[in-house]
């Protein structure tokens, strides 16, 4: 007996399809009373996902997606609109709107609740669906008042504009803020308010960072500034962009921030620079270094803008990398 041919393999499923179609006809002919009805739920599952890192409890909470809109040329250097559309389509991704998630990591060490980045707050520059962090935290039973530490990867709007509420109160009233001083200095610099490209970012970021100046601690490259949480400078996307390595009982997770903005277009072409990079070439060098570390040490990462919840591994394949999302578990 040889290998079954393609035709043999298709036969049973084709038969099932036909049976299914016939069954559909029968159902349609039944009286209306036989079909059960329920209103459409019209809501998504709560925006949190939980897992363990050694003795630490990790929870990813969503601030909701950012819409970048239709593909356009030069979002990534040297990539035309046509090329971007093709790559999205090849990966079965929508070609009418490039969507980036906002995956905010919460680590409960047992002693402290540590929040990594804060989402974009109430700003709606990237569509109506963002600004969900506080609701997602509540759904995850994390009280914003219990947040002891807010660790910023960098000072872009989608990472720090959730610090202050519109009424001027702090969203995390008991949180000490950890960040690189270079990013505070750059993104609150009054002198850049005259720069047409930067002025909106600078003006907004001043409102969120300057009122918190007295509760900031600056992190240094390589420093373990909280037990089990180490800073690793990864500059380029911003001058002070930092990733964080979280370790408990021999288990390690990296909070990779904006080391890459897309799980296919950038991971598989890691030398592409992004339109919002302060120094694209430096961002590429940092990305290659962090990706090499993640791949060679097989360390899982939460990456802020990757598909929800952004948890996965980076594998190296020749000169390229590939993103392997971690299978989600239904049991903690
Ligand atoms: Zn970002």
């Amino acid at each position: 007996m040889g290998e079954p041919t393609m035709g043999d393999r298709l036969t049973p499923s084709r038969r099932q399809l036909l049976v299914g179609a016939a069954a559909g006809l029968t159902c349609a002919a039944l009286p209306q009373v036989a079909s059960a009805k329920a209103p459409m739920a019209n809501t998504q599952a709560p925006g949190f996902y939980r897992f363990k890192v050694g003795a630490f409890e990790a929870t990813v909470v969503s601030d909701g997606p950012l819409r970048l809109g239709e593909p356009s040329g030069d979002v990534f250097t040297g990539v035309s609109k046509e090329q971007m559309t093709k790559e999205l389509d090849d990966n079965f991704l929508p070609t009418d709107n490039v969507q980036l998630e906002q995956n905010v990591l919460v680590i409960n060490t047992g002693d402290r609740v540590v929040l990594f980045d804060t989402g974009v707050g109430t700003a709606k520059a990237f569509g109506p669906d963002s600004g969900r962090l506080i609701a997602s935290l509540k759904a995850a039973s994390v009280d914003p008042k219990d947040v002891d530490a807010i660790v910023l990867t960098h000072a872009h709007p989608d990472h720090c504009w959730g610090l202050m509420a519109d009424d001027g109160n702090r969203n995390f009233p008991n949180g000490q803020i950890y960040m690189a001083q270079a990013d505070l200095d750059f993104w609150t610099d009054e002198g850049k308010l005259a720069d047409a490209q930067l002025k909106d970012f600078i003006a907004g970021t001043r409102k969120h960072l300057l009122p918190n100046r007295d509760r900031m601690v600056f992190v240094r490259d390589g420093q373990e500034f909280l037990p089990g949480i180490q800073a690793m400078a990864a500059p380029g996307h911003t001058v002070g962009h930092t990733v964080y390595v979280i370790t408990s009982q021999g288990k390690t997770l990296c909070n990779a921030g904006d080391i890459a903005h897309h799980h296919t277009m950038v991971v598989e072409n890691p030398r592409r620079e992004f339109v919002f990079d302060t120094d694209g070439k430096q961002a590429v060098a940092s990305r290659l270094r962090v990706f090499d570390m993640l791949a060679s040490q097989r360390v899982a990462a939460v990456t802020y803008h990757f598909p929800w919840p952004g948890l996965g591994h980076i594998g190296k394949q020749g000169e390229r990398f590939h993103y392997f999302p971690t299978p989600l578990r239904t049991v903690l």
Side-chain angles (χ1 to χ4, degrees):
M1 214 168 62
E3 287 287 305
T5 66
M6 185 65 91
D8 290 328
R9 286 210 297 272
L10 282 176
T11 304
S13 61
R14 189 179 296 138
R15 188 182 298 134
Q16 278 166 356
L17 266 179
L18 291 170
V19 170
L25 283 174
T26 315
C27 282
L30 286 173
Q32 285 283 316
V33 69
S35 58
K37 291 195 186 108
M40 303 282 183
N42 221 17
T43 55
Q44 187 50 279
F48 72 92
Y49 179 71
R50 193 160 276 149
F51 58 100
K52 301 285 277 186
V53 181
F56 293 174
E57 188 176 77
T59 309
V60 183
V61 288
S62 176
D63 188 49
L66 304 173
R67 295 160 175 253
L68 296 194
E70 283 184 22
S72 65
D74 290 327
V75 171
F76 302 110
T77 45
V79 182
S80 66
K81 177 183 165 80
E82 292 69 31
Q83 175 68 16
M84 197 166 163
T85 303
K86 180 183 183 308
E87 289 185 19
L88 290 167
D89 193 50
D90 286 349
N91 285 283
F92 304 95
L93 295 167
T95 56
D96 58 345
N97 174 38
V98 178
Q99 186 160 295
L100 302 184
E101 294 297 332
Q102 296 184 93
N103 304 313
V104 176
L105 177 65
V106 183
I107 294 284
N108 186 342
T109 68
D111 292 326
R112 287 183 182 82
V113 176
V114 184
L115 179 77
F116 292 83
D117 293 333
T118 70
V120 73
T122 55
K124 297 296 181 195
F126 293 103
D129 299 322
S130 54
R132 298 178 173 212
L133 180 67
I134 301 296
S136 295
L137 285 168
K138 284 185 178 148
S141 304
V142 178
D143 187 334
K145 290 202 248 350
D146 290 340
V147 171
D148 303 290
I150 302 150
V151 179
L152 299 179
T153 58
H154 62 298
H156 270 167
D158 50 323
H159 299 261
C160 76
W161 284 16
L163 280 170
M164 305 295 287
D166 286 346
D167 62 8
N169 287 316
R170 292 182 174 88
N171 280 325
F172 308 99
N174 303 311
Q176 186 121 43
I177 298 168
Y178 297 81
M179 67 181 294
Q181 183 170 5
D183 253 34
L184 173 73
D185 293 346
F186 186 100
W187 293 103
T188 60
D189 177 9
E190 226 174 343
K192 295 191 182 71
L193 285 168
D195 183 320
Q197 300 238 306
L198 294 177
K199 67 175 192 315
D200 290 345
F201 277 24
I202 301 281
T205 302
R206 287 170 62 86
K207 284 188 214 160
H208 288 273
L209 292 185
L210 294 183
N212 288 301
R213 185 62 190 81
D214 61 344
R215 50 177 68 200
M216 275 178 198
V217 177
F218 297 126
V219 299
R220 294 188 313 275
D221 185 25
Q223 182 190 13
E224 184 177 343
F225 56 94
L226 288 170
I229 303 177
Q230 187 183 23
M232 183 188 287
H237 178 54
T238 64
V239 288
H241 181 262
T242 304
V243 306
Y244 296 96
V245 179
I246 298 148
T247 308
S248 169
Q249 295 182 339
K251 302 284 187 205
T252 304
L253 174 73
C254 178
N255 186 71
D258 281 12
I259 200 69
H261 286 78
H262 200 273
H263 65 295
T264 60
M265 290 190 284
V266 178
V267 173
E268 292 171 14
N269 296 278
R271 288 176 173 75
R272 285 179 178 170
E273 300 165 30
F274 183 50
V275 64
F276 289 115
D277 290 340
T278 301
D279 182 336
K281 295 201 171 22
Q282 189 185 37
V284 166
S286 289
R287 179 179 308 131
L288 294 173
R289 187 166 50 82
V290 171
F291 275 9
D292 273 327
M293 177 200 80
L294 295 177
S296 64
Q297 298 183 23
R298 301 175 69 86
V299 168
V302 169
T303 308
Y304 195 74
H305 292 300
F306 283 9
W308 168 256
L311 174 63
H313 283 84
I314 298 288
K316 192 161 192 179
Q317 302 181 339
E319 282 302 293
R320 294 154 79 95
F321 293 88
H322 186 77
Y323 178 59
F324 296 89
T326 299
L328 302 189
R329 297 164 57 115
T330 51
V331 176
L332 187 60

